[in-house]
Amino acid sequence: MNQFQYNKANESLSAIKLKAKDPNAHFLAGGTNLIDLMKMGVVTTSKLVDINHLPLSKIEKLPKSLRIGALVTNSDLADNEFVKSNFPLLSLAINAGASPQLRNMATVGGNLMQRTRCPYFFDLTMPCNKRVPGSGCGALEGYSRMHAIFGASDKCIAVNPSDMNVALRALDAVVHVSGPKGERKINIADFHRLPGDNPEMDNTLKKDELITAVELPYSPFAKNVYYLKVRDRSSYAFALVSAAVALHIENGTIKEARLAMGGVAHKPWRLTAAEEFLKGKPVSEENFKQASQIAMQGAKAYKDNQFKLKLAPNTLVQSLKMASGLAS
Ligand code: SF4
């Protein structure tokens, strides 16, 4: 049995100090991912720093943005009336993830830190560069149905499993973190990493840094949004492909589009070329189909996930149709 220390922190600085002292310590919030990984032996820790008593559970309306504390649960965030009215894409994405019980426990900060669901990552008998750097990638030679079609490397082809992260990417969230040297902000685009040569690193957070909040700038993207998640079961399953769409439409013309996909890359995948294409164009199925083809440029499938090359653009087109009102 792996023995570890348990510490409860009451304020952020003491939590950061506790973790900074021990490179193999972990913060514990909802524990919906970390505890599973510990039980399976995928993660071994020397110290858990319980951060559940830190004052990070508020949702605050600021003049230009909404600040969401890192310990706000997924349920509280998705059900918040202001979020439902002003950031409905976020509510839709969160409610597409996990189960009600898990959403009651899981936190915003934990969701950002969620590890991949690649089966080889969980199987201690198989090689996995993410779990044991340098050991190889079981998925590259094995079963790759759930894996990436964008931004993968020859070291790792895993995907980020979070639904919330896809909406945050589309909405240009900013992650607030705190460490021994003070506070800093990380744009969501720079928070999650592509695997490159170091797939063991999921994100750019430093080991001794704590996520304190996520900030969402107010935007005109509340009316025409949709989150479409395609999965093997209708609930409690990870996305094969998902699409987060937010459109600013005036008189039938798309003034601006925000598009992101999940289940396709090691990080939530923003579709900027397709966004540019749609800007100034009328709402039409033809334009949505062209945008989806542009979005797929650079996609590369592996042995078992060729179907994603069709599923991804189809999911995007349907999501665009739902967001714009062309379909219901
Ligand atoms: Fe590990 Fe990544 Fe390969 Fe999966 S895809 S086995 S997580 S290295």
Side-chain angles (χ1 to χ4, degrees):
M1 194 171 98
N2 172 44
Q3 299 211 337
F4 57 87
Q5 267 184 37
Y6 170 84
N7 298 82
K8 198 190 281 182
N10 290 315
E11 46 109 20
S12 297
L13 196 57
S14 62
I16 290 162
K17 279 184 183 164
L18 277 167
K19 189 160 187 284
K21 279 186 203 157
D22 184 343
N24 199 28
H26 291 78
F27 290 131
L28 173 69
T32 56
N33 191 200
L34 177 61
I35 299 297
D36 280 351
L37 294 170
M38 287 172 64
K39 283 182 187 166
M40 287 185 267
V42 177
V43 168
T44 51
T45 191
S46 47
K47 184 194 287 176
L48 284 185
V49 181
D50 187 339
I51 58 170
N52 282 295
H53 298 274
L54 303 186
L56 302 175
S57 300
K58 274 193 200 155
I59 300 175
E60 296 168 273
K61 291 178 221 168
L62 305 179
K64 292 186 176 167
S65 61
L66 186 71
R67 185 184 163 102
I68 303 159
L71 289 174
V72 173
T73 64
N74 286 7
S75 298
D76 284 348
L77 184 56
D79 294 343
N80 180 279
E81 289 303 325
F82 188 81
V83 172
K84 282 200 282 188
S85 304
N86 292 275
F87 301 100
L89 182 63
L90 183 58
S91 289
L92 286 170
I94 290 172
N95 282 328
S99 65
Q101 293 88 344
L102 284 167
R103 293 196 293 271
N104 286 342
M105 289 298 293
T107 63
V108 168
N111 212 326
L112 283 165
M113 298 296 288
Q114 203 177 157
R115 309 298 312 269
T116 186
R117 260 54 182 193
C118 172
Y120 300 97
F121 177 65
F122 289 88
D123 186 343
L124 302 187
T125 67
M126 295 298 292
C128 172
N129 287 322
K130 188 178 278 298
R131 180 170 29 80
V132 182
S135 62
C137 172
L140 268 172
E141 298 298 325
Y143 191 52
S144 51
R145 180 170 180 269
M146 296 294 289
H147 291 75
I149 54 172
F150 291 111
S153 75
D154 61 357
K155 300 285 191 298
C156 179
I157 59 172
V159 298
N160 185 297
S162 165
D163 294 293
M164 184 192 81
N165 291 347
V166 186
L168 292 183
R169 183 81 203 267
L171 295 169
D172 280 340
V174 176
V175 183
H176 290 235
V177 307
S178 202
K181 292 184 184 157
E183 301 188 354
R184 67 181 179 120
K185 298 177 188 178
I186 310 171
N187 290 332
I188 188 80
D190 302 319
F191 184 83
H192 296 101
R193 294 180 68 257
L194 289 179
D197 289 335
N198 297 98
E200 71 279 9
M201 292 160 61
D202 292 341
N203 55 60
T204 55
L205 194 72
K206 293 182 183 140
K207 279 201 176 264
D208 51 7
E209 284 181 323
L210 172 72
I211 299 171
T212 53
V214 168
E215 194 175 343
L216 286 178
Y218 298 134
S219 68
F221 298 109
K223 203 166 154 217
N224 293 105
V225 303
Y226 203 71
Y227 186 74
L228 180 58
K229 177 175 180 178
V230 181
R231 48 189 153 175
D232 287 329
R233 292 188 302 258
S234 61
S235 75
Y236 197 28
F238 294 97
L240 290 165
V241 165
S242 67
V245 167
L247 301 173
H248 177 200
I249 300 173
E250 278 182 19
N251 301 321
T253 298
I254 299 165
K255 295 283 177 192
E256 218 183 325
R258 298 279 185 80
L259 313 174
M261 291 195 113
V264 295
H266 199 258
K267 61 192 287 183
W269 196 249
R270 186 81 176 255
L271 309 170
T272 45
E275 290 175 5
E276 275 304 307
F277 170 81
L278 286 173
K279 201 170 176 177
K281 299 264 187 338
V283 168
S284 76
E285 184 161 359
E286 185 48 39
N287 282 333
F288 292 161
K289 283 183 176 167
Q290 280 195 51
S292 75
Q293 291 312 312
I294 291 168
M296 293 305 292
Q297 284 168 6
K300 177 191 166 189
Y302 293 86
K303 186 167 63 69
D304 305 303
N305 68 352
Q306 296 284 334
F307 71 97
K308 286 194 180 185
L309 297 179
K310 271 194 180 171
L311 181 63
N314 288 348
T315 304
L316 183 59
V317 169
Q318 184 62 17
S319 200
L320 282 161
K321 285 167 70 176
M322 297 295 285
S324 65
L326 272 189
S328 57

